[in-house]
Amino acid sequence: MKKDITIPEVENVFLAAVQEWNDDFMDKVWYVYLVNDSDFDIESVMVVSKAFGTIEGEMKKTSLLRHAFVKVPAVSVAKVELVEKSVLALNNEFMVTYFIGNTLYDKKFVFKANSINEGHFEEVPILFVDGVIVR
């Protein structure tokens, strides 16, 4: 029965961390975007995020955050969440689940500890700004 299950591969859908000015904090902060660089609308999108890791020898983890989007159109982005500076030293994991038609897609994206920084910048498609991308 397991051999009859096909798990479709996620293509052209990824996450990007982008630094933007925030008037509330009066500082640049990191936002994570879901980028749909495919030719298909993705629907019933669910993003579950958490951060975990070790800081100064002590295990740390954050609460789960859940985000839902009815639809992210083809060749567009959706702003998922702000990433607080204190969790940049942790692994930031995002589980993304969505439908294209009747097919369910699912993938785990992880920004490794301390990887969200200007040293890992590349141009983010669709947004045309520099950011950190995980595929």
Side-chain angles (χ1 to χ4, degrees), residues 77-135:
V77 300
K79 188 182 274 190
V80 178
E81 71 181 40
L82 177 140
V83 178
E84 189 179 281
K85 285 182 182 180
S86 64
V87 299
L88 295 177
L90 302 172
N91 294 308
N92 287 272
E93 179 181 284
F94 294 80
M95 287 295 302
V96 179
T97 306
Y98 60 89
F99 282 91
I100 296 178
N102 290 326
T103 305
L104 177 69
Y105 291 80
D106 183 60
K107 185 166 182 178
K108 181 191 322 183
F109 297 92
V110 179
F111 290 97
K112 298 281 187 196
N114 298 309
S115 68
I116 300 177
N117 64 53
E118 294 174 3
H120 294 101
F121 272 176
E122 59 184 288
E123 187 175 35
V124 179
I126 302 168
L127 286 175
F128 301 108
V129 296
D130 287 337
V132 179
I133 296 174
V134 290
R135 297 185 193 274

Side-chain angles (χ1 to χ4, degrees), residues 37 50 63-64 75 78 87 101:
D37 197 19
K50 68 179 179 179
S63 300
L64 288 177
V75 192
V87 299

Side-chain angles (χ1 to χ4, degrees), residues 39-101:
D39 296 331
F40 306 99
D41 295 348
I42 60 177
E43 298 177 328
S44 301
V45 181
M46 177 69 88
V47 181
V48 179
S49 65
K50 68 179 179 179
F52 60 92
T54 307
I55 296 177
E56 297 176 8
E58 187 176 339
M59 186 63 183
K60 303 277 186 183
K61 68 178 184 175
T62 64
S63 300
L64 288 177
L65 296 177
R66 294 173 182 85
H67 310 278
F69 305 96
V70 174
K71 177 162 79 170
V72 180
V75 192
S76 69
V77 300
K79 188 182 274 190
V80 178
E81 71 181 40
L82 177 140
V83 178
E84 189 179 281
K85 285 182 182 180
S86 64
V87 299
L88 295 177
L90 302 172
N91 294 308
N92 287 272
E93 179 181 284
F94 294 80
M95 287 295 302
V96 179
T97 306
Y98 60 89
F99 282 91
I100 296 178

